[in-house]
Amino acid sequence: MTKLLEMNHIHALCFAKGFSRTRLNVATSPFLISRGGGGGYCSNTCIPYRLKFTCYATLSAVVKEQTSAFDGKEAALLVDELRSNFNTGRTKSYEWRISQLQSIARMIDEKEKCITEALYQDLSKPELEAFLAEISNTKSSCMLAIKELKNWMAPETVKTSVTTFPSSAQIVSEPLGVVLVISAWNFPFLLSVEPVIGAIAAGNAVVLKPSEIAPAASSLLAKLFSEYLDNTTIRVIEGGVPETTALLDQKWDKILFTGGARVARIIMAAAAKNLTPVVLELGGKCPALVDSDVNLQVAARRIIAGKWACNSGQACIGVDYVITTKDFASKLIDALKTELETFFGQNALESKDLSRIVNSFHFKRLESMLNENGVANKIVHGGQTTEEKLKISPTILLDVPEASSMMQEEIFGPLLPVITVQKIEDGFQVIRSKPKPLAAYLFTNSTELQKQFVQNVSAGGMTINDTVLHVTVKDLPFGGVGESGIGAYHGKFSYETFSHKKGVLYRSFSGDADLRYPPYTPKKKMVLKALISSNIFAAILAFFGLSKET
């Protein structure tokens, strides 16, 4: 990539990936780095071991060490190799696509324990949460693709007009070519494999760049992809800023990135150099608007499921803040407190069912939000922290200042501000005052309020009277709008995201009328005008010279 990206944006890339601008403080979560001959696999674990060290080094030192592992030259060679293999046509066949999808399904079945261990190592993600949120969803996507692939690949017949008679037409899906998937650390298995499933189903060659912030999952993906998939057309490249930079400097046929808006701007700038289309799955401040007519216990449980039981709030579709009326706020907060204790016990920091914060950087970021002026005194529940375990207890705050970073930035953690309004409809304006979110939630029994919410609130997706579940419906597109993202995938939308819809018109050599050819006479003009307007009777009259030009 250009020097401008390397020098001016490198801090932004590091910041969004969880690195400090000045140093990598990972005493509680050691940075894992590969060296030649230094890695391997323990006989009693699925997780690759690597040379580990507690790193207080400067960013430049780490960048320098990693640059030698995978640079722009190697990236260019990789893309050239994949493009050559793609150009043989092998990936376009149904047989190749279905075999790779079946291999992914088999990989998930055979390595479920390994995947669970990796997710626990990176995020302390509970086994059941790992299964439901990542393993099961990924397997479901893969099985749907296997089931529907022939239908997705089949050309779609469309109608033709009288001006092309006799003719037929089809929309033919073709793979884009060589695509790049850059995934995120919060759901490191799901967000890596699900888009790869779509890219393979569409017949592309794929490079996956997992997040280095989830090193156990990244290493496992590299190992499993090399074992189960066609390495001549599907590759995993591990690493951090230098590797990502080297990859972004190449010409791709599409890039799908999951992460934050800060890095998305870098991705988009790099893609623009080659006019590469992008899918950006970002995030934003996802609101939950809660009316006073709800089943309080059920609403509280579902908000908790979409906040703290969703990777401890580290989810792009997780509930970022709640809006409710001043009169109802205390009842809702009491219900949340009660259900939180039921779910995680009196001391949530000791709960095995609560994921940890991914690393020290994000822990300190969240802690600084809590310690900001005018915020700490708004805590009505929780607020306990332990940096040693990288855990923050489920925390509820009431009416934090609008100017605080907690209300201006995506929280991405276990902090939940509750904002109050006079009447529930006022919440629409609160939501509209912020960039469009990736998801928005409404809890109400009022069908009129539901209708108003859907019509008047713009978001990537919505769930009414629950949270996050809309992403499990594979017939719904998953994607953002505005600053929360570009493009969509899941189910057939994944296939279409990585395909080009090619229009094809078929004609025979018969029925070749001279109307379209010179000389252009008044009679031809009248006939053609009548045909284009679908007035067959007028066309017949004009053809036989029985009508006058208008």
Side-chain angles (χ1 to χ4, degrees):
M1 194 143 37
T2 64
K3 290 294 181 183
L4 178 65
L5 177 60
E6 291 176 6
M7 301 305 295
N8 292 351
H9 293 305
I10 194 168
H11 287 315
L13 185 56
C14 293
F15 178 86
K17 287 185 172 291
F19 293 127
S20 166
R21 288 176 182 264
T22 56
R23 67 181 186 177
L24 295 173
N25 185 345
V26 286
T28 56
S29 182
F31 185 77
L32 305 184
I33 188 167
S34 290
R35 298 179 188 268
Y41 292 85
C42 300
S43 59
N44 60 346
T45 181
C46 304
I47 309 301
Y49 70 82
R50 292 175 164 193
L51 184 61
K52 299 184 179 182
F53 64 98
T54 301
C55 177
Y56 294 92
T58 62
L59 176 62
S60 59
V62 176
V63 170
K64 182 178 179 182
E65 181 170 5
Q66 289 189 329
T67 300
S68 61
F70 185 85
D71 56 16
K73 183 178 180 180
E74 290 191 38
L77 290 172
L78 169 65
V79 175
D80 286 346
E81 178 188 347
L82 293 182
R83 197 171 299 281
S84 294
N85 292 330
F86 170 79
N87 287 338
T88 66
R90 185 168 72 256
T91 66
K92 294 182 179 180
S93 72
Y94 171 81
E95 289 73 22
W96 181 87
R97 302 185 203 194
I98 202 71
S99 69
Q100 299 307 300
L101 294 173
Q102 289 170 341
S103 292
I104 291 177
R106 182 164 54 87
M107 176 187 81
I108 295 171
D109 284 340
E110 294 176 357
K111 301 299 182 181
E112 180 180 325
K113 182 179 178 182
C114 299
I115 299 164
T116 302
E117 287 180 5
L119 296 175
Y120 184 81
Q121 183 170 325
D122 285 332
L123 293 154
S124 294
K125 191 168 287 191
E127 182 177 352
L128 183 57
E129 183 180 333
F131 175 77
L132 292 175
E134 303 213 42
I135 298 170
S136 176
N137 268 337
T138 308
K139 176 69 177 296
S140 175
S141 294
C142 191
M143 298 310 295
L144 177 67
I146 291 171
K147 177 183 177 183
E148 298 293 340
L149 185 59
K150 280 189 177 179
N151 293 330
W152 293 348
M153 291 178 65
E156 178 186 351
T157 301
V158 297
K159 294 180 179 179
T160 59
S161 66
V162 67
T163 56
T164 63
F165 180 85
S167 65
S168 62
Q170 291 180 329
I171 299 172
V172 177
S173 293
E174 64 178 7
L176 294 172
V178 182
V179 302
L180 173 64
V181 174
I182 305 175
S183 64
W185 53 261
N186 55 332
F187 293 88
F189 186 77
L190 173 70
L191 297 179
S192 294
V193 181
E194 179 150 13
V196 168
I197 289 169
I200 290 172
N204 297 279
V206 192
V207 172
L208 168 64
K209 167 59 183 67
S211 173
E212 72 279 10
I213 305 304
S218 176
S219 296
L220 182 64
L221 285 165
K223 175 179 183 290
L224 295 183
F225 272 42
S226 68
E227 288 182 2
Y228 283 86
L229 299 178
D230 177 5
N231 296 151
T232 66
T233 50
I234 305 167
R235 296 283 184 85
V236 175
I237 298 298
E238 293 192 87
V241 175
E243 289 77 12
T244 306
T245 300
L247 289 170
L248 287 175
D249 200 32
Q250 310 310 310
K251 179 175 174 56
W252 304 92
D253 295 295
K254 195 155 202 175
I255 298 172
L256 187 147
F257 167 74
T258 304
R262 189 187 304 267
V263 178
R265 288 178 169 87
I266 300 173
I267 302 290
M268 205 165 182
K273 183 175 64 176
N274 293 309
L275 296 180
T276 300
V278 296
V279 175
L280 303 176
E281 295 298 342
L282 310 179
K285 298 191 70 62
C286 301
L289 189 63
V290 185
D291 199 1
S292 58
D293 65 349
V294 299
N295 181 318
L296 194 53
Q297 182 186 35
V298 173
R301 290 164 64 91
R302 291 177 178 178
I303 290 170
I304 293 170
K307 180 65 174 180
W308 297 285
C310 193
N311 200 28
S312 197
Q314 299 169 112
C316 55
I317 56 169
V319 178
D320 189 272
Y321 66 103
V322 167
I323 305 171
T324 193
T325 60
K326 292 183 182 295
D327 294 338
F328 190 66
S330 60
K331 294 180 181 178
L332 177 59
I333 290 170
D334 287 343
L336 289 169
K337 290 179 180 179
T338 299
E339 297 305 321
L340 280 170
E341 185 172 333
T342 300
F343 289 1
F344 304 115
Q346 291 185 345
N347 185 359
L349 294 179
E350 299 298 324
S351 174
K352 296 180 180 179
D353 296 316
L354 190 68
S355 300
R356 66 168 170 84
I357 308 306
V358 66
N359 59 21
S360 181
F361 171 85
H362 282 287
F363 179 90
K364 291 181 182 299
R365 177 184 62 82
L366 292 164
E367 197 173 44
S368 69
M369 281 188 176
L370 279 177
N371 294 332
E372 194 173 328
N373 287 340
V375 173
N377 63 341
K378 300 296 185 179
I379 296 174
V380 295
H381 179 77
Q384 296 81 24
T385 67
T386 170
E387 186 171 4
E388 182 183 2
K389 296 181 179 180
L390 290 178
K391 282 199 171 184
I392 299 175
S393 65
T395 301
I396 304 172
L397 306 95
L398 180 61
D399 283 329
V400 299
E402 177 61 28
S404 66
S405 59
M406 190 175 294
M407 289 308 298
Q408 294 299 312
E409 302 172 9
E410 184 177 8
I411 295 171
F412 224 69
L415 317 179
L416 182 66
V418 176
I419 306 302
T420 60
V421 291
Q422 288 299 126
K423 59 181 189 296
I424 198 65
E425 291 81 2
D426 294 341
F428 290 5
Q429 183 53 38
V430 175
I431 298 170
R432 289 197 295 260
S433 70
K434 302 180 184 302
K436 296 176 181 180
L438 184 59
Y441 307 110
L442 170 68
F443 290 83
T444 184
N445 279 311
S446 168
T447 54
E448 179 60 29
L449 188 62
Q450 292 177 15
K451 181 179 178 181
Q452 292 178 25
F453 187 76
V454 172
Q455 289 181 343
N456 297 315
V457 172
S458 181
M462 290 180 170
T463 297
I464 308 298
N465 291 330
D466 211 325
T467 58
V468 308
L469 289 184
H470 63 286
V471 302
T472 67
V473 181
K474 298 307 178 184
D475 287 333
L476 291 177
F478 173 65
V481 58
E483 290 190 26
S484 61
I486 299 171
Y489 71 118
H490 282 197
K492 188 178 182 181
F493 298 99
S494 295
Y495 177 86
E496 293 177 344
T497 284
F498 290 104
S499 299
H500 166 60
K501 296 293 187 180
K502 181 168 59 180
V504 181
L505 178 70
Y506 296 92
R507 297 201 73 205
S508 70
F509 288 105
S510 61
D512 189 50
D514 66 353
L515 290 173
R516 61 187 288 201
Y517 306 121
Y520 300 124
T521 65
K523 177 181 176 180
K524 288 182 179 181
K525 178 181 176 182
M526 285 190 292
V527 174
L528 285 172
K529 287 178 69 175
L531 287 173
I532 290 171
S533 63
S534 299
N535 190 335
I536 303 300
F537 181 68
I540 294 172
L541 292 178
F543 183 79
F544 289 104
L546 300 177
S547 65
K548 295 182 179 180
E549 184 177 7
T550 57

